[in-house]
Every structure is written in structure tokens, then in C-alpha cells.
């Protein structure tokens, strides 16, 4: 039977397994990903089945992980690097933005860099400092990198395989507080393109855009708004670089209103870029300014305060109300 009920975490595990079965050059690297199976158990059982040469427990050195991945990729391998938590990626930032992102262009296309960097993103799990961040804007701003943000088990299963098969480096963001969300996944289906946004709920009054962990929040807001007679169209962006905004433009031309939601702080976040593009392209269709909902412009707070920090249903609905008042 090809259809299974999977969590996002299990879908990623099966997707990694299938990618490793299909291509012997796929190598997994990361801290505690082998015998332990990773902090979130995403790689559980893979070292046992594929061996220590293909599922490598690395030292606690993110710069070393990415530096090694660059060399492996240059020799024809497809390294998949796990960063335990989003806040741990910054020691490897130099390797990612100066080497991983640039070698293909620097070599005039002669050297491919098929590196996948898996990063659990966002908050909501009650973790300590450096374990809850939203670093997507740093990477989306870096030419040469592609940035994918999955929100559901189907995209997790197929997206990780598509990312591994892609010739360019991809930062693959996984919503850590959604790892246990379940959905039906057809493992024999033909997946859609990786770098495409998707309308996940139709509506007529306001277009709500989200990606990663905020897609569920946007859908919950749409459910609540429907009880008040408002119809929200929710679009899962799925990829934050490159942005696929044609479905967004089509939607905004109908609704005349747009709200962008993400966990990262609002200032200079992805919402700013999206708001600018929507305004440029749909200016004559807009009935209200494009509004943004995000985290506050503060360092991520202690876990007892994170529910106050993270955008929730009420903050999304408040933005919808403000958009409807224009």
C-alpha cells in the first residue's frame, strides 16, 4: 500500500532513506545523527541500514561539517548536513555564504555544489537559548542559495528527495514544532515541482501568505474567520528563495488585500520583500496596504514567554481586520 499516515518527522526519514537507496553518492552528516538518530530522530535507523560511511556522526563543529561537505560535493557526492537546531547554524555561516553559495558561479559553472543543509526552524518547543530561531532571511538574501520551508508531511517526503537530487545548494527548513503533525502521504505519487507555492485554502476577502510552521496558524485563522463570515485564501509559499509569487498575484488581484505571516521578526524579514513585490505588481488591485505579522524585534525570549512572542491566530486575525477596515 503506497498511502501511509506519516508525521513530518517520519516522512523526512523515509524520504532520506529513499534518496539513499536511489543514489549511493548521498551521504548524511551531522551531530548524533547515527546511533542516536538525531535529536528529533529524523535519521533513526539509517546508520544501521546504510553504515557509518554514509551516515556520519560528526564532531560538534558546524563549520567542520559544512567545510567537509564542500569537499565531498566537489568530488561528486551529495552531502546532506543536519544542523541540530537553527541557532547552531551560525558557526557554519561563513562556509555557507562564501563557499557553498558561490563555488558554482566562481567556477563558471564547472563545479556543482549539490549540498542540502537541513535546519529545524522556529520556536514553540520550550527550548533554551539558541534553540529557536528563524534564520531564513539570511540565506534567502544570499545569491547562490535556494531556501525551502516545508509545512506538511507530503512536502517533507517529496521535498527532501527533490532537494537532494537538485544540482544547487539548498537550505532545507523543517518546522520543528510541527514534526509530529500527521497527514496521508502517497509514496508512489508523482510530486509537483519543488519551487512552487500552493493555494491550500480558497477564499475571496483576504490573501494570507505563510510558510513552514506558520501555515497551520494561517489555516486556523481562516477557520476562525469563516465563523465570522470572512473568507481567507491561504497560500503556502513552500519556497522562500526563489519566491513563486504568480499564484499570489492572481489571488491578490481577486481579493485586493494581503497579509504575510512568518515567525521571524518583521523588520527586514521575508514579509518585507513579499510586500514590496506584491505592491509593485498588484498596485491597482490593492484595497489596503500589504500587512505583515511576525515575531517582535527582540532576541528570542525564554521559553515561558515564547507564546507571547510567536504570531498566533489572534494576531493574524487582527491584521485581517485592519486590512478589511481600509
Amino acid at each position: 500500500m503506497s498511502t501511509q499516515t506519516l508525521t513530518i518527522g517520519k516522512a523526512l526519514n523515509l524520504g532520506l532513506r529513499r534518496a539513499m537507496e536511489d543514489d549511493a553518492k548521498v551521504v548524511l552528516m551531522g551531530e548524533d545523527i547515527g546511533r542516536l538518530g538525531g535529536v528529533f530522530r529524523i535519521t533513526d535507523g539509517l546508520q544501521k541500514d546504510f553504515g557509518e560511511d554514509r551516515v556520519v556522526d560528526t564532531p560538534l563543529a558546524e563549520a567542520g561539517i559544512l567545510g567537509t561537505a564542500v569537499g565531498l560535493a566537489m568530488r561528486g557526492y551529495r552531502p546532506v548536513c543536519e544542523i541540530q537546531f537553527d541557532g547552531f547554524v551560525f558557526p557554519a555561516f561563513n562556509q555557507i555564504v562564501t563557499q557553498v553559495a558561490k563555488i558554482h558561479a566562481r567556477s563558471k559553472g564547472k563545479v556543482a555544489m549539490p549540498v542540502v543543509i537541513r535546519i529545524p526552524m522556529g520556536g514553540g518547543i520550550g527550548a533554551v537559548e539558541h534553540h529557536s530561531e528563524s534564520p531564513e532571511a539570511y540565506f534567502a538574501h544570499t545569491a547562490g542559495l535556494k531556501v525551502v520551508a516545508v509545512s506538511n508531511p507530503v512536502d517533507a517526503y517529496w521535498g527532501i528527495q527533490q532537494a537532494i537530487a537538485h544540482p544547487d545548494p539548498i537550505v532545507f527548513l523543517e518546522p520543528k514544532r510541527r514534526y509530529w503533525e500527521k497527514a496521508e502521504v502517497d509514496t508512489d505519487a508523482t510530486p509537483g515541482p519543488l519551487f512552487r507555492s500552493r493555494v491550500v485554502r480558497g477564499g475571496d476577502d483576504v490573501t494570507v501568505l505563510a510558510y513552514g510552521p506558520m501555515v497551520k496558524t494561517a489555516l486556523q485563522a481562516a477557520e476562525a474567520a469563516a465563523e465570522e463570515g470572512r473568507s481567507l485564501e491561504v497560500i503556502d509559499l513552500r519556497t522562500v528563495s526563489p519566491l513563486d509569487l504568480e499564484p499570489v498575484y492572481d489571488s491578490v488581484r481577486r481579493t485586493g488585500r494581503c497579509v504575510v505571516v512568518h515567525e521571524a521578526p518583521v523588520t527586514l524579514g521575508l514579509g518585507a520583500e513579499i510586500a514590496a513585490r506584491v505592491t509593485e505588481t498588484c498596485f491597482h488591485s490593492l484595497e489596503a496596504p500589504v500587512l505583515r505579522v511576525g515575531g517582535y524585534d527582540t532576541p528570542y525570549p525564554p521559553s515561558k514567554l515564547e507564546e507571547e512572542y510567536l504570531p498566533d491566530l489572534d494576531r493574524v486575525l487582527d491584521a485581517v481586520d485592519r486590512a478589511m477596515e481600509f
Side-chain angles (χ1 to χ4, degrees):
M1 183 177 179
S2 62
T3 301
Q4 305 177 53
T5 301
L6 301 175
T7 63
I8 289 179
K10 186 61 176 178
L12 288 166
N13 178 276
L14 293 180
L16 289 167
R17 176 179 293 277
R18 186 162 176 178
M20 296 183 76
E21 291 171 345
D22 291 345
D23 187 348
K25 293 292 188 180
V26 176
V27 178
L28 311 188
M29 306 165 59
E31 299 161 6
D32 296 323
I33 69 167
R35 184 177 300 179
L36 179 66
V39 172
F40 296 102
R41 305 299 187 266
I42 304 302
T43 54
D44 188 41
L46 297 182
Q47 188 181 74
K48 177 176 67 71
D49 293 339
F50 293 96
E52 294 182 6
D53 290 339
R54 294 192 64 196
V55 183
V56 182
D57 276 318
T58 67
L60 303 183
E62 287 76 17
I65 295 170
L66 266 296
T68 303
V70 169
L72 285 169
M74 294 177 77
R75 293 301 298 269
Y77 289 90
R78 292 183 174 272
V80 182
C81 304
E82 176 180 304
I83 304 298
Q84 274 194 345
F85 287 90
D86 35 29
F88 296 178
V89 74
F90 300 112
F93 195 75
N94 178 43
Q95 280 78 5
I96 296 170
V97 303
T98 64
Q99 298 176 22
V100 174
K102 294 181 170 61
I103 287 177
H104 186 72
R106 188 183 301 150
S107 66
K108 297 183 179 180
K110 293 180 181 178
V111 179
M113 192 53 45
V115 176
V116 175
I117 306 164
R118 294 183 41 243
I119 306 176
M121 73 174 295
I125 64 167
V128 297
E129 189 178 20
H130 305 310
H131 289 65
S132 300
E133 303 287 344
S134 297
E136 62 270 22
Y138 295 118
F139 300 116
H141 183 72
T142 302
L145 294 178
K146 294 177 178 175
V147 184
V148 172
V150 296
S151 68
N152 60 78
V154 175
D155 283 350
Y157 177 76
W158 290 111
I160 192 62
Q161 295 178 64
Q162 292 170 311
I164 292 170
H166 197 72
D168 295 327
I170 294 178
V171 175
F172 196 88
L173 302 173
E174 304 164 7
K176 67 171 77 80
R177 65 169 157 149
R178 309 293 190 203
Y179 271 142
W180 300 274
E181 304 277 336
K182 295 180 179 180
E184 294 290 309
V185 179
D186 184 352
T187 57
D188 288 335
T190 300
L194 179 60
F195 306 113
R196 293 289 184 270
S197 56
R198 180 182 299 138
V199 177
V200 292
R201 181 186 174 109
D204 301 312
D205 294 331
V206 181
T207 301
V208 179
L209 311 178
Y211 55 86
M214 284 289 101
V215 173
K216 180 176 181 178
T217 302
L219 288 169
Q220 291 171 334
E223 290 280 352
E227 296 177 3
E228 300 174 355
R230 285 183 177 163
S231 175
L232 307 187
E233 179 146 297
V234 178
I235 298 180
D236 181 353
L237 294 171
R238 300 178 70 239
T239 299
V240 298
S241 181
L243 285 166
D244 174 33
L245 295 182
E246 288 303 324
V248 174
Y249 300 151
D250 291 342
S251 177
V252 172
R253 288 184 182 112
R254 287 188 298 100
T255 65
R257 294 172 170 84
C258 182
V259 173
V260 190
V261 187
H262 53 63
E263 282 194 18
V266 170
T267 300
L268 297 176
L270 263 294
E273 175 67 23
I274 294 167
R277 293 202 198 182
V278 170
T279 301
E280 289 172 5
T281 304
C282 303
F283 182 77
H284 295 290
S285 300
L286 287 169
E287 300 291 339
V290 179
L291 301 179
R292 294 170 289 160
V293 180
Y296 298 113
D297 291 331
T298 66
Y300 199 90
S303 58
K304 65 181 180 180
L305 296 175
E306 67 181 354
E307 292 306 318
E308 304 299 324
Y309 173 86
L310 293 170
D312 59 9
L313 179 152
D314 288 333
R315 284 166 63 186
V316 175
L317 291 179
D318 176 69
V320 168
D321 289 343
R322 288 186 284 125
M324 294 296 293
E325 289 171 0
F326 279 90

